[in-house]
Amino acid sequence: YLSFVTLAYTGMRLGEMLALKWSNLNLTKKILRFTKTYYNPSNKKTTYELLTPKTKKSIRTIMIVDGLIARFKGHRQIHYSAWF
């Protein structure tokens, strides 16, 4: 669900979403930074690469809405609370 909502609210490409890390997200400033894209020409789970986008304009920072921030916070709390 979070993947679908993130794609819908941000307009990012699927490869950009697959390359996201928590360090790309700033919940306090309400921004999301795109710096990498997922590349997997062989379509094998173990041979993918995270590359810089093809153009400089593809590296960007966008503002995100409060509803999406709440979903990210909930996701992190549910899935990562056992790790910390």
Side-chain angles (χ1 to χ4, degrees):
Y1 178 76
L2 180 60
S3 298
F4 175 77
V5 171
T6 301
L7 289 169
Y9 275 94
T10 63
M12 74 171 75
R13 298 171 188 92
L14 182 59
E16 293 171 331
M17 186 194 68
L18 293 172
L20 283 178
K21 297 181 180 184
W22 284 108
S23 59
N24 296 108
L25 181 64
N26 186 323
L27 298 173
T28 307
K29 293 182 180 180
K30 301 178 183 181
I31 58 172
L32 186 56
R33 180 134 174 93
F34 305 109
T35 59
K36 301 281 183 194
T37 189
Y38 176 85
Y39 178 70
N40 190 354
S42 63
N43 203 24
K44 295 181 182 176
K45 293 180 185 178
T46 57
T47 59
Y48 71 89
E49 294 179 75
L50 298 181
L51 303 174
T52 56
K54 291 179 184 177
T55 66
K56 289 183 181 181
K57 284 188 175 185
S58 293
I59 297 174
R60 62 199 186 282
T61 302
I62 63 167
M63 299 292 293
I64 52 177
V65 297
D66 292 331
L68 189 54
I69 291 169
R71 284 179 173 80
F72 275 119
K73 286 180 179 178
H75 177 79
R76 185 162 46 184
Q77 183 178 7
I78 291 168
H79 295 284
Y80 296 99
S81 62
W83 296 96
F84 301 107

